[in-house]
Amino acid sequence: DAGVIQSPRHEVTEMGQEVTLRCKPISGHNSLFWYRQTMMRGLELLIYFNNNVPIDDSGMPEDRFSAKMPNASFSTLKIQPSEPRDSAVYFCASSHTSGSYGTQYFGPGTRLTVL
Amino acid sequence: DAKTTQPPSMDCAEGRAANLPCNHSTISGNEYVYWYRQIHSQGPQYIIHGLKNNETNEMASLIITEDRKSSTLILPHATLRDTAVYYCIVRVGDDLVFGKGTRLSVIA
């Protein structure tokens, strides 16, 4: 079975540009998570969805970040405008159930560099 | 903040068992212990999880003390491909709160 799919794998952009990261969760999974990883802060949860509905977005840094999940098989994380401090690896994960009983499976990540 | 404490790094000889400790002294009765690892430049990979009983799967074994205040992840026959950062996580609801983990180096 295909795992979590993320695109693009690498993105280089200039400050001020809009960036859109994409994620396709594992088929049948009903929870989707967006994480960010940097050397300074490690892995941080940004937002997660359950049954396509955003449940907790308290980790989203600021209004420049937005996430959508229009259907069960697709989610986007958008940064507008991007800043150099947004440079990081962004991971998407999905699980079959929410809560402590759902094992999360991670995608390969998108490495974002904002110049 | 992460609710676990792990040594920052460990070495293990190839072919030997790797025993990775984790302290979680403030764990609550309904909180699971999860282990993930992250190989360089890849996404975190699920290894195993447990509540209070010892668990074993094709990748590893998880030993949880009776008082649940600590646990040990055992890789029975470590290979060079097991070199990674290993994260011990006490699961609170939907969140996986990653700490700094243990960097395991398997040495030939």
Side-chain angles (χ1 to χ4, degrees):
Chain A
D1 290 338
V4 175
I5 299 172
Q6 292 186 247
S7 65
R9 294 293 310 277
H10 301 272
E11 177 80 34
V12 180
T13 190
E14 293 187 346
M15 182 174 63
Q17 296 298 306
E18 177 179 296
V19 175
T20 299
L21 311 181
R22 297 172 176 81
C23 175
K24 176 179 171 58
I26 294 172
S27 177
H29 283 190
N30 63 347
S31 292
L32 183 140
F33 305 79
W34 283 100
Y35 290 84
R36 178 173 67 176
Q37 186 172 34
T38 62
M39 288 293 293
M40 291 295 295
R41 300 176 65 89
L43 266 162
E44 302 173 286
L45 177 67
L46 299 177
I47 185 172
Y48 79 89
F49 296 83
N50 183 245
N51 294 323
N52 311 336
V53 176
I55 303 300
D56 182 1
D57 65 354
S58 60
M60 295 286 263
E62 48 196 272
D63 292 345
R64 298 184 297 106
F65 285 68
S66 63
K68 294 182 179 180
M69 191 164 186
N71 57 61
S73 59
F74 184 65
S75 176
T76 60
L77 178 66
K78 185 177 295 186
I79 308 172
Q80 167 62 19
S82 59
E83 296 182 3
R85 60 187 167 132
D86 301 330
S87 297
V89 181
Y90 291 81
F91 290 104
C92 177
S94 70
S95 69
H96 181 257
T97 59
S98 64
S100 300
Y101 306 101
T103 297
Q104 294 182 23
Y105 296 91
F106 285 74
T110 295
R111 181 173 296 276
L112 173 65
T113 302
V114 183
L115 303 174
Chain B
D1 292 334
K3 297 177 64 174
T4 62
T5 303
Q6 300 178 254
S9 64
M10 292 180 62
D11 292 339
C12 178
E14 188 178 21
R16 304 297 294 270
N19 297 284
L20 292 92
C22 179
N23 286 324
H24 31 78
S25 58
T26 61
I27 193 171
S28 298
N30 61 345
E31 291 176 335
Y32 283 76
V33 179
Y34 273 74
W35 283 84
Y36 279 76
R37 73 179 182 184
Q38 188 171 25
I39 297 170
H40 182 61
S41 296
Q42 298 183 20
Q45 178 188 22
Y46 166 77
I47 301 173
I48 198 167
H49 74 281
L51 184 62
K52 55 182 178 181
N53 297 322
N54 297 337
E55 302 287 345
T56 296
N57 63 19
E58 65 278 6
M59 289 183 68
S61 294
L62 174 60
I63 308 298
I64 303 174
T65 58
E66 192 168 343
D67 62 7
R68 302 209 327 120
K69 293 186 176 182
S70 66
S71 61
T72 301
L73 178 74
I74 301 172
L75 308 178
H77 305 287
T79 71
L80 298 178
R81 288 176 295 180
D82 292 323
T83 292
V85 177
Y86 287 76
Y87 297 97
C88 171
I89 300 165
V90 170
R91 185 80 177 270
V92 181
D94 290 296
D95 283 12
L96 284 177
V97 180
F98 287 81
K100 296 186 183 301
T102 296
R103 183 173 298 277
L104 175 69
S105 298
V106 181
I107 303 167

